[in-house]
């Protein structure tokens, strides 16, 4: 492996469906607590009303002839008893606050509630979806979506129609309003000022348009069993590998993660999910960025045997050492979650990106898909028109650097906004150091 110096990396993360699922159950608990509070208030009011009705009858009788009423010693005693004891009991009843349980429950859950920034982020996500997928705000709010032609989005319209039908049934309406067949116009969103030069291509690829997989190129793609150059751990069960793109070469590994491993990784990551940050190439300071919207966490092999096993599997199937790789990064992209076009490797104008690590540049990317995505969420490469769709349990792999150590600028890629669903991925960025004898240097700059 050639070493051409250190480069700066721009690193960012995004949304939070993984944590929002917990909010769903928290809200259900709060609703139950609210109902219990209402029931307690109703019981209290019934008791007070019963007191009021009983005392109303007594006071009517007593005030109609006060002296005659008090002439009876039992009535006089009962008046003393009521004023000394029973009215105090009634006062205590009125002062009881059945809301204590509900307020206490609210206090427990409030610390996990979204804040104003989260709410604004969700609103921006909706605008981002309108822009990328060319959705009209009125139609979008009613659950109406155009039916995109790409392979993963065929169910979008039916999905939202089912949601809309359910909402209408819940509201007691017998049938859905007829669909509006007028063409949907996007006139509700202004592009951001930092307009990306390849934005048109990027967003078209997200919609499944403009993918340059020609028949000639398709004929160069194959599938195979990958045994890691006779690696003992892959001899009995080699990894299934299929080509996604010819040049640059991108492959997909099937059955890269089991369902059990995925659930364990998510379980380990959820408590540590936090809004992703990016490293400012000028200052080196980590900061949040609008162009990557997700939440992420970092896991190391010592955290759990599953993480150690996944790291070893990545090394076996790629033939590259993971001893100098970064920790396994787990990211969750919710609705609208994205990462706009970026490079995984650092460029020559970013000389200090990995200086503190001492491991060289990011030579390769190994990306595990840990969920299916109902619509959206593709990984796209605007430079050469590739779109790779998430498939749970599979992983994609590509080299960011040529064998010479020069960056392959064609690998600029993006994570498209998630239109429907929740996208879970885990990334392993493999670095140059340690690959000297595993991926020898090439003889030319772009070898």
């Amino acid at each position: 492996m050639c070493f051409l110096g250190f480069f700066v990396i721009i690193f960012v993360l995004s949304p939070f469906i993984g944590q929002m699922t917990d909010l769903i159950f928290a809200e259900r608990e709060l609703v139950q607590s609210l109902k219990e509070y209402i029931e307690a208030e109703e019981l209290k009011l019934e008791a007070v009303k019963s007191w009021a009705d009983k005392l109303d009858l007594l006071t009517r009788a007593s005030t109609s002839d006060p002296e005659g009423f008090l002439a009876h010693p039992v009535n006089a005693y009962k008046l003393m008893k009521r004023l000394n004891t029973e009215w105090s009991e009634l006062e205590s009843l009125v002062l009881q606050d059945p809301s204590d349980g509900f307020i206490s429950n609210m206090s427990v859950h409030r610390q996990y509630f979204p804040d104003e920034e989260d709410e604004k982020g969700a609103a921006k996500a909706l605008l981002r979806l309108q822009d990328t997928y060319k959705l009209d705000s009125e139609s979008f709010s009613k659950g109406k979506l155009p039916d995109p032609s790409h392979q993963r989005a065929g169910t979008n319209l039916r999905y939202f129609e089912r949601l809309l039908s359910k909402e209408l049934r819940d509201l007691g309406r017998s049938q859905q309003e007829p669909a509006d067949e007028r063409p949907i116009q996007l006139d509700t969103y202004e592009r951001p000022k930092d307009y990306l030069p390849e934005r048109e291509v990027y967003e078209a690829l997200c919609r499944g348009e403009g993918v340059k997989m020609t028949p000639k190129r398709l004929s160069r793609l194959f599938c195979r069993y990958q045994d890691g150059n006779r690696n003992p751990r892959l001899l009995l069960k080699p990894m299934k590998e299929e080509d996604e793109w010819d040049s640059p070469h991108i492959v997909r590994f099937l059955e890269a993660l089991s369902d059990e491993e995925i659930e364990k990784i998510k379980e380990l990551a959820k408590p540590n999910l936090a809004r992703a940050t990016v490293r400012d190439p000028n200052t080196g300071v980590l900061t949040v960025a609008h162009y990557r919207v997700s939440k992420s966490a970092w896991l190391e092999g010592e955290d759990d045997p599953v993480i150690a096993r996944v790291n070893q599997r990545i090394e076996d199937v790629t033939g590259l050492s993971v001893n100098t790789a970064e920790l396994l990064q787990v990211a969750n992209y919710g609705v609208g979650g994205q990462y706009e076009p970026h490079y995984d490797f650092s460029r020559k104008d970013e000389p200090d990106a990995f200086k503190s690590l001492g491991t060289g540049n990011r030579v390769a990317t190994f990306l595990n898909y840990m969920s299916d995505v109902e619509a959206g969420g593709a990984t796209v490469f605007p430079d050469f028109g590739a779109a790779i769709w998430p498939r749970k349990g599979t992983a994609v792999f590509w080299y960011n650097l040529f064998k010479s150590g020069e960056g392959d600028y064609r690998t600029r890629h993006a994570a498209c906004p998630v239109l429907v669903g929740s996208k879970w991925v885990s990334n392993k960025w493999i670095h140059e150091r340690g690959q000297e004898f595993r991926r020898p240097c090439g003889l030319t700059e772009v070898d």
Side-chain angles (χ1 to χ4, degrees):
M1 171 64 62
C2 292
F3 306 104
L4 303 181
F6 299 99
F7 309 97
V8 161
I9 181 168
I10 297 189
F11 182 53
V12 212
L13 312 183
S14 129
F16 43 67
I17 284 284
Q19 291 172 323
M20 286 179 66
T21 54
D22 296 333
L23 294 179
I24 291 289
F25 293 102
E27 186 174 44
R28 183 181 68 178
E29 186 177 331
L30 287 175
V31 169
Q32 181 59 36
S33 179
L34 181 61
K35 291 169 70 175
E36 291 172 358
Y37 159 66
I38 293 171
E39 184 178 354
E41 283 282 16
E42 289 174 340
L43 289 173
K44 171 185 168 180
L45 289 174
E46 284 295 323
V48 172
K49 185 175 182 295
S50 176
W51 273 88
D53 291 342
K54 180 180 71 172
L55 292 171
D56 184 46
L57 292 173
L58 283 170
T59 55
R60 285 183 183 181
S62 64
T63 55
S64 64
D65 181 12
E67 291 187 4
F69 181 81
L70 292 174
H72 197 297
V74 173
N75 288 342
Y77 166 74
K78 286 186 175 180
L79 175 62
M80 296 299 104
K81 182 176 184 294
R82 285 199 304 274
L83 293 175
N84 181 55
T85 305
E86 295 181 6
W87 275 97
S88 295
E89 292 175 359
L90 178 59
E91 181 183 25
S92 298
L93 176 62
V94 172
L95 290 176
Q96 284 180 6
D97 189 355
S99 68
D100 288 348
F102 174 68
I103 297 301
S104 176
N105 214 353
M106 278 285 293
S107 299
V108 170
H109 289 293
R110 190 182 299 280
Q111 59 183 315
Y112 305 110
F113 282 7
D115 55 22
E116 185 178 359
E117 181 184 353
D118 293 321
E119 183 180 346
K120 289 180 179 178
K124 289 179 180 178
L126 293 180
L127 294 176
R128 190 181 306 122
L129 292 175
Q130 286 179 240
D131 191 31
T132 303
Y133 297 104
K134 296 190 179 299
L135 307 175
D136 171 71
S137 57
E138 182 180 359
S139 300
F140 192 24
S141 67
K142 293 180 179 178
K144 300 175 183 176
L145 290 180
D147 194 3
S149 59
H150 66 71
Q151 57 186 354
R152 296 287 302 174
T155 60
N156 291 356
L157 183 59
R158 292 186 293 278
Y159 177 87
F160 275 93
E161 284 177 342
R162 287 198 302 271
L163 287 182
L164 182 59
S165 297
K166 183 179 184 302
E167 289 180 7
L168 294 177
R169 286 196 302 272
D170 292 343
L171 291 172
R173 297 167 64 178
S174 59
Q175 64 182 35
Q176 184 177 334
E177 294 178 8
D180 189 347
E181 297 297 333
R182 291 175 298 175
I184 292 176
Q185 300 294 324
L186 179 64
D187 54 4
T188 57
Y189 183 61
E190 206 172 288
R191 287 192 183 278
K193 293 180 180 178
D194 57 336
Y195 180 78
L196 290 168
E198 74 268 58
R199 186 179 292 277
E200 296 288 351
V201 175
Y202 151 57
E203 292 181 348
L205 289 171
C206 289
R207 297 190 298 270
E209 304 166 5
V211 179
K212 299 177 181 177
M213 182 52 68
T214 62
K216 182 178 180 180
R217 171 164 271 142
L218 189 61
S219 69
R220 295 197 288 264
L221 305 184
F222 300 92
C223 56
R224 64 194 69 82
Y225 284 106
Q226 172 64 269
D227 64 7
N229 196 23
R230 305 287 293 172
N231 186 296
R233 282 178 289 269
L234 294 175
L235 283 179
L236 293 179
K237 188 181 179 181
M239 185 76 75
K240 299 173 183 176
E241 177 184 309
E242 58 186 29
D243 295 328
E244 284 281 351
W245 209 261
D246 56 345
S247 181
H249 193 205
I250 304 174
V251 299
R252 187 192 296 261
F253 297 110
L254 280 61
E255 300 175 9
L257 290 176
S258 68
D259 288 346
E260 292 76 16
E261 289 171 332
I262 289 172
E263 291 308 310
K264 186 62 179 180
I265 292 172
K266 289 164 65 175
E267 176 190 329
L268 293 168
K270 279 183 178 181
N272 301 311
L273 285 174
R275 174 67 190 270
T277 55
V278 297
R279 190 177 300 279
D280 188 312
N282 297 317
T283 66
V285 176
L286 291 174
T287 181
V288 297
H290 69 274
Y291 53 86
R292 189 172 190 184
V293 188
S294 68
K295 287 200 171 185
S296 68
W298 298 84
L299 302 176
E300 51 187 316
E302 290 76 10
D303 291 334
D304 192 273
V306 166
I307 307 302
R309 186 163 68 243
V310 169
N311 289 340
Q312 184 63 61
R313 187 178 301 145
I314 292 172
E315 178 168 306
D316 291 343
V317 76
T318 64
L320 300 175
S321 172
V322 297
N323 290 335
T324 56
E326 296 173 44
L327 303 182
L328 188 71
Q329 186 215 49
V330 182
N332 177 222
Y333 297 78
V335 173
Q338 64 159 6
Y339 191 175
E340 290 185 354
H342 62 281
Y343 300 99
D344 277 355
F345 66 93
S346 57
R347 276 74 65 212
K348 290 183 177 180
D349 59 345
E350 304 166 328
D352 298 324
F354 304 116
K355 187 175 182 178
S356 61
L357 298 179
T359 54
N361 208 343
R362 283 176 171 170
V363 66
T365 296
F366 194 99
L367 171 62
N368 290 298
Y369 292 118
M370 302 199 302
S371 65
D372 293 313
V373 180
E374 191 95 25
T379 304
V380 298
F381 295 78
D383 187 79
F384 51 91
I388 299 174
W389 303 97
R391 284 158 53 190
K392 184 179 180 182
T394 69
V396 292
F397 172 77
W398 68 85
Y399 283 101
N400 297 305
L401 307 180
F402 292 109
K403 288 185 178 181
S404 63
E406 289 292 326
D408 187 346
Y409 284 79
R410 298 174 300 173
T411 61
R412 182 171 169 86
H413 61 287
C416 295
V418 174
L419 181 57
V420 183
S422 177
K423 178 183 176 183
W424 283 89
V425 299
S426 57
N427 299 288
K428 194 72 172 177
W429 284 295
I430 302 171
H431 284 243
E432 289 181 294
R433 299 293 187 264
Q435 318 306 339
E436 294 87 346
F437 300 106
R438 295 177 182 243
R439 192 184 187 231
C441 293
L443 299 178
T444 66
E445 187 173 290
V446 295
D447 192 12

